[in-house]
Amino acid sequence: MDLPFEPLERVVQVQVPQDAAGAALIDYLSERYNYLDREQWQHEISKGNLEVNGIVASESTPLAANDSLFFQAKDLFEQDVSFDISILDETDDYIIINKPGNLPCHPAGRFFNHTLWAWLKQARHIDSIHFVSRLDRETSGIVFVAKNPRFAANAAKMLHSLGIETHKQYLVLVHGHAPKLPFTANGWLMKDENSPVEKKKHFSPIANDGDSDVIEIPEDDEAVTAQTDFRFIGTYRPPMPGECQTKFIPDENGEFSLLEATLHTGRTHQIRATLCSLGYPIVGDKLYGVDDTIFLKFAKSTLERDDWKRLILPTQALHAWRLQIPRLHINVEAPPSFI
């Protein structure tokens, strides 16, 4: 795709960790950096794009702990993204934008120039970028970015501190009829042992045992608490032929529910994992939707027509729609594109 700005040159320099000492360069790269497969890494090495301690390396170059590994990434393929970005508010200290689905916030894996970070640098000419809030690649909506570290630290403290009147709310469209009365999901987020996807999380509600003050702690050492308030807004149906194919339609007989979610904790995949575990998977979500094996196909670019039909939407119907931080005089809203 043609970028709407001048691309940045990608240069990666890392130190080899202790646990990789003695490994051949090709083995280390293939295992640790899987955004390229082994054959692709071999190709990059053959072009002289890899150096170890300032010397052009070969596939069999042995690595030692703390070796300096330098990779000059040239012409790496990046998947197409959307730069349909709108600015909601901007000052000398921050910029608040409405991010589309299918746009990563920051570089990771193959994504470098095809990111919001690159757009901020090249299209908006912001040198110091600090994400106060960020969204998953396929989550759309409000992203709050500070332009200096001092403001970033202050804003993050306000956004995440209890007792400070701030609101960060999402709209989310799910399969099924969700409860019409407001409800709170309070529990644990932990590894989903039943999923073939390594990074998938499972939400387990904290049992309410009456007057008991004892809370059972999961065996998963990496489990974290998560709390989300949900409010039912209405039922919807998918678009019909002749209607906009990316917008759901309000319908009292619809089989889909629109919810507003308010976070009390800010965990990775919190809303998505919580709703999936409660039986209300998000429309269009490849990992926490109707079938997590769709995510494995998506990662390999092997999704078939039937998979897209099951997803209904090309990206997940989760949108950060409101941000309020009264102490900073911030009050912005951005409606989602899927309703």
Side-chain angles (χ1 to χ4, degrees):
M1 63 175 292
D2 293 330
L3 289 172
F5 51 80
E6 189 68 24
L8 289 158
E9 181 180 1
R10 183 175 190 176
V11 175
V12 181
Q13 188 163 2
V14 297
Q15 280 192 319
V16 175
Q18 184 69 45
D19 61 5
L25 175 62
I26 185 61
D27 295 331
Y28 171 70
L29 293 173
S30 301
E31 181 178 347
R32 189 64 63 96
Y33 302 102
N34 58 10
Y35 58 88
L36 296 182
D37 61 27
R38 190 179 184 89
E39 184 177 343
Q40 289 169 325
W41 277 121
Q42 289 173 329
H43 180 65
E44 293 298 324
I45 294 171
S46 70
K47 292 195 298 183
N49 290 340
L50 274 294
E51 296 179 4
V52 176
N53 299 327
I55 301 174
V56 175
S58 67
E59 293 181 29
S60 59
T61 297
L63 300 176
N66 300 317
D67 275 351
S68 178
L69 180 60
F70 176 88
F71 173 43
Q72 188 169 10
K74 299 177 180 178
D75 303 322
L76 285 187
F77 170 78
E78 297 184 46
Q79 293 179 352
D80 288 351
V81 296
S82 170
F83 284 105
D84 184 16
I85 298 168
S86 57
I87 298 172
L88 303 175
D89 191 12
E90 185 171 13
T91 70
D92 290 340
D93 288 318
Y94 65 81
I95 183 171
I96 302 176
I97 66 100
N98 183 15
K99 181 185 86 69
N102 191 26
L103 179 64
C105 278
H106 50 79
R110 281 183 175 271
F111 290 99
F112 184 69
N113 279 300
H114 291 198
T115 61
L116 176 59
W117 172 85
W119 181 85
L120 290 167
K121 274 192 171 293
Q122 297 297 87
R124 299 298 302 176
H125 308 292
I126 300 174
D127 293 325
S128 181
I129 298 171
H130 307 268
F131 285 97
V132 181
S133 70
R134 65 186 69 201
L135 300 173
D136 294 336
R137 171 185 166 188
E138 291 201 358
T139 301
S140 58
I142 297 171
V143 179
F144 185 16
V145 182
K147 296 180 179 180
N148 61 75
R150 182 184 295 275
F151 182 86
N154 185 42
K157 183 177 180 180
M158 290 185 184
L159 193 58
H160 302 297
S161 295
L162 294 174
I164 295 180
E165 192 66 20
T166 64
H167 295 285
K168 184 169 60 172
Q169 294 172 314
Y170 295 74
L171 290 175
V172 54
L173 189 69
V174 300
H175 293 261
H177 293 141
K180 293 189 176 181
L181 293 177
F183 65 98
T184 297
N186 186 23
W188 298 93
L189 277 181
M190 63 195 78
K191 178 177 171 57
D192 188 343
E193 299 292 348
N194 296 318
S195 175
V197 182
E198 179 70 22
K199 68 178 183 178
K200 188 178 181 182
K201 302 292 184 181
H202 172 76
F203 174 79
S204 179
I206 293 176
N208 185 357
D209 296 325
D211 295 330
S212 174
D213 292 328
V214 177
I215 297 177
E216 185 175 348
I217 299 177
E219 295 182 3
D220 185 348
D221 292 337
E222 297 184 2
V224 293
T225 56
Q227 183 175 339
T228 314
D229 293 338
F230 292 100
R231 181 174 68 89
F232 177 84
I233 295 177
T235 53
Y236 283 71
R237 64 165 175 82
M240 295 181 179
E243 297 175 334
C244 177
Q245 293 303 294
T246 57
K247 285 186 180 291
F248 275 60
I249 311 300
D251 188 333
E252 62 181 11
N253 297 315
E255 295 296 320
F256 300 84
S257 300
L258 182 67
L259 303 174
E260 182 181 70
T262 302
L263 299 178
H264 290 278
T265 52
R267 310 301 189 187
T268 301
H269 297 179
Q270 179 172 324
I271 295 174
R272 299 166 63 197
T274 298
L275 287 170
C276 178
S277 298
L278 293 178
Y280 306 107
I282 297 176
V283 175
D285 195 326
K286 300 171 180 69
L287 180 55
Y288 292 97
V290 292
D291 183 355
D292 56 7
T293 62
I294 287 179
F295 176 82
L296 299 176
K297 292 183 181 179
F298 176 70
K300 297 178 181 178
S301 300
T302 58
L303 281 180
E304 300 173 354
R305 180 175 296 181
D306 287 345
D307 297 320
W308 288 111
K309 286 182 178 180
R310 296 180 71 193
L311 289 168
I312 307 177
L313 293 175
T315 57
Q316 61 203 24
L318 176 61
H319 181 84
W321 88 280
R322 175 186 289 164
L323 176 65
Q324 296 173 309
I325 309 178
R327 291 192 183 184
L328 297 177
H329 306 289
I330 291 173
N331 184 3
V332 293
E333 295 181 358
S337 62
F338 50 80
I339 58 171

